[in-house]
Amino acid sequence: MPARDDDATPDPVPAVSGPLDAPALRTLLKLCVPAVLVGIVSALVLRALDWLSAEAEDLLWTDLPGSLGVDPDSRWWIFATLTGAGLLVGLVVRLVPGHGGRDSATTELIAPPLPLRVLPSLAVVTVLGLAGGVSLGPENPIIAINTALLVALVARLWPQVPTNLVVMLAAAATIGALFGTPVAAALVFTGVVAGFARGGPLFDRLFLPLVAAGTGAMTMDAFGRPFASMDLPDLGVPDIGDVGISLAVATLAAGAALLGVLAFPHVHRFFHRMHNPVLYVTLGGMVLGVLGAIGGPLTLFKGSQQSFELVQQRGDLSTWNLVLIVAVKLVALVIAAAAGFRGGRIFPAAFIGVAVGVTVNAAFPGAPLGLAVASGVLGVVLAVGRDGWIALFVAVAVVGDVGVLPVLCLAILPAWLLVRGAPEMLVAPEVTDQVVPRREPGGAQSRPSPADPPGRPPSQD
């Protein structure tokens, strides 16, 4: 009998589990070569996953309904497609070797590397979720896939490079490729590196992640950015009224998102009590189908394209319609993340923030649209991701107006005070013993031991 997905792949030691000394100049220069390779490979794998998801999405939402003569935006088609996506994901998690990798509800963006045998099933369930309209983004699975691939590749080409460093480079490169700029990776890794590194300037320790992130971003730019800014009016010179609006919207958005964060572990526990992923992921797909039928097409998928459509259609939607979209998408994010689908939470959180900003602008037309949207994104991403730097970056990147940054730097303060004491949007995995196989001279592997020191390459079987 196949194991449950929670038990499929015990984690090795934490990816960043010990101090990382600032490297010498000669070492930095030598390591630039693997960092560049990591950046290129990460972007190419992301591009391949995007392409596969887009092809599958066209099949499910354009070609198939077109051949059947049905409206893909009809409620019954939305319900049927999301239910079917849940059934297929549940079958893969239950029956396919690898079981779809780790439950995304238990992992952050940067996680220990998976065994290579897990990756095919993880890629399949990720594509099914993205194409089927599930309210999750690609960030967690694609970082996990790139990390596992690159840890194995670099271990063969440069065995002297520490595994911890490769994990950081792969994550940085993927984040850079996802957002089309290394700035996002630099902001994320400032906190990570500062917490685990010692000695030398901070930028020395950010140097190699920036090389990987910059290379990943440039490679991805050659295919077109998956994350683009909206064409919203610039704020101009802010005044005290703008500060008050931003503080209120960011705090309101963070508070609304916290409702989902607080419900998340309870919803996760409800679904996983069924033990069989075919049952609970299919049920999750059915609930998402009902929510999609209520909220309409704008509440489906990861939310990037839907954010643009929401802003364009805002004149045709009442304030209550917009409130409904916010509520449906927030519930859909919680259900999708808790019911066993694989995916990240940042992209749908950004959509919810955009919807909050558009709602505020509809209710109070005097509130600048760009500032309201940026503040909404700031609050929701902060509550869901619990990272102030990435929340600031995504908020500015969504509206494409750096002029909102000074106001957002003030607005984030009360929002942070609100979310800092709340639980994170994560649940503890059932498998907690972190082990890694010991490598003997000549490449042989002994039995795993929890006492092995961090930094050794994990099993890549």
Side-chain angles (χ1 to χ4, degrees):
M1 180 67 65
R4 290 188 296 118
D5 63 323
D6 291 335
D7 301 327
T9 52
D11 293 332
V13 295
V16 183
S17 52
L20 298 173
D21 293 318
L25 175 60
R26 186 174 179 180
T27 303
L28 277 178
L29 295 177
K30 285 184 177 180
L31 290 177
C32 281
V33 177
V36 168
L37 175 67
V38 167
I40 294 172
V41 171
S42 296
L44 292 178
V45 174
L46 172 60
R47 174 56 183 168
L49 189 74
D50 276 349
W51 180 81
L52 287 172
S53 301
E55 292 295 310
E57 181 182 331
D58 287 342
L59 175 64
L60 291 174
W61 297 93
T62 302
D63 298 340
L64 187 56
S67 65
L68 297 175
V70 301
D71 180 7
D73 293 340
S74 63
R75 293 180 175 179
W76 76 268
W77 185 263
I78 291 174
F79 175 80
T81 302
L82 280 161
T83 302
L87 174 60
L88 291 175
V89 169
L91 288 171
V92 173
V93 172
R94 178 70 174 175
L95 302 175
V96 176
H99 305 284
R102 301 187 190 99
D103 183 357
S104 296
T106 68
T107 60
E108 300 192 48
L109 282 177
I110 306 171
L114 291 166
L116 291 180
R117 67 176 182 273
V118 173
L119 302 191
S121 62
L122 176 57
V124 169
V125 294
T126 302
V127 169
L128 287 172
L130 292 172
V134 175
S135 293
L136 292 173
E139 56 271 26
N140 286 59
I142 190 59
I143 290 176
I145 291 170
N146 280 338
T147 298
L149 287 174
L150 288 161
V151 164
L153 179 61
V154 173
R156 290 184 179 275
L157 298 178
W158 296 279
Q160 72 278 12
V161 178
T163 299
N164 286 352
L165 177 60
V166 181
V167 171
M168 293 179 65
L169 295 180
T174 309
I175 294 171
L178 277 167
F179 293 101
T181 171
V183 174
L187 293 175
V188 170
F189 277 86
T190 296
V192 173
V193 173
F196 288 99
R198 65 186 179 196
L202 176 63
F203 206 81
D204 264 359
R205 302 188 293 271
L206 288 174
F207 186 88
L208 292 171
L210 282 176
V211 171
T215 306
M218 291 181 64
T219 304
M220 198 65 190
D221 281 349
F223 301 102
R225 295 186 180 185
F227 188 92
S229 300
M230 298 179 183
D231 186 19
L232 298 177
D234 290 345
L235 177 62
V237 179
D239 55 31
I240 190 64
D242 294 327
V243 174
I245 291 171
S246 185
L247 262 68
V249 175
T251 306
L252 171 68
L258 277 182
L259 296 177
V261 173
L262 293 172
F264 181 66
H266 304 287
V267 178
H268 184 273
R269 194 177 306 117
F270 166 78
F271 280 105
H272 287 256
R273 278 175 180 166
M274 301 177 195
H275 299 301
N276 188 334
V278 178
L279 296 179
Y280 64 73
V281 184
T282 302
L283 177 60
M286 293 177 65
V287 176
L288 291 177
V290 172
L291 292 169
I294 295 171
L298 285 175
T299 60
L300 305 180
F301 301 99
K302 63 183 180 182
S304 296
Q305 181 61 38
Q306 289 70 32
S307 294
F308 286 87
E309 295 173 3
L310 178 62
V311 171
Q312 293 169 355
Q313 299 176 22
R314 66 186 187 278
D316 301 326
L317 299 169
S318 70
T319 302
W320 289 113
N321 289 146
L322 294 168
V323 170
L324 177 64
I325 288 173
V326 172
V328 167
K329 189 66 173 182
L330 179 59
V331 176
L333 170 58
V334 173
I335 296 296
F341 290 98
R342 294 346 187 209
R345 299 174 281 276
I346 299 299
F347 280 81
F351 172 87
I352 296 169
V354 171
V356 169
V358 172
T359 303
V360 170
N361 176 260
F364 306 98
L369 177 61
L371 180 63
V373 166
S375 302
V377 172
L378 175 74
V380 178
V381 174
L382 183 66
V384 170
R386 202 57 59 83
D387 189 309
W389 289 121
I390 198 67
L392 282 168
F393 169 81
V394 174
V396 174
V398 163
V399 299
D401 177 17
V402 73
V404 301
L405 183 57
V407 180
L408 296 182
C409 287
L410 296 174
I412 197 174
L413 301 178
W416 175 251
L417 293 177
L418 177 64
V419 307
R420 67 182 295 274
E424 295 187 51
M425 198 171 181
L426 288 170
V427 295
E430 291 188 8
V431 177
T432 56
D433 292 333
Q434 309 295 322
V435 297
V436 62
R438 183 185 296 112
R439 294 191 179 273
E440 303 292 352
Q445 293 181 355
S446 70
R447 296 176 63 83
S449 169
D452 283 339
R456 296 179 181 270
S459 172
Q460 301 300 332
D461 56 342

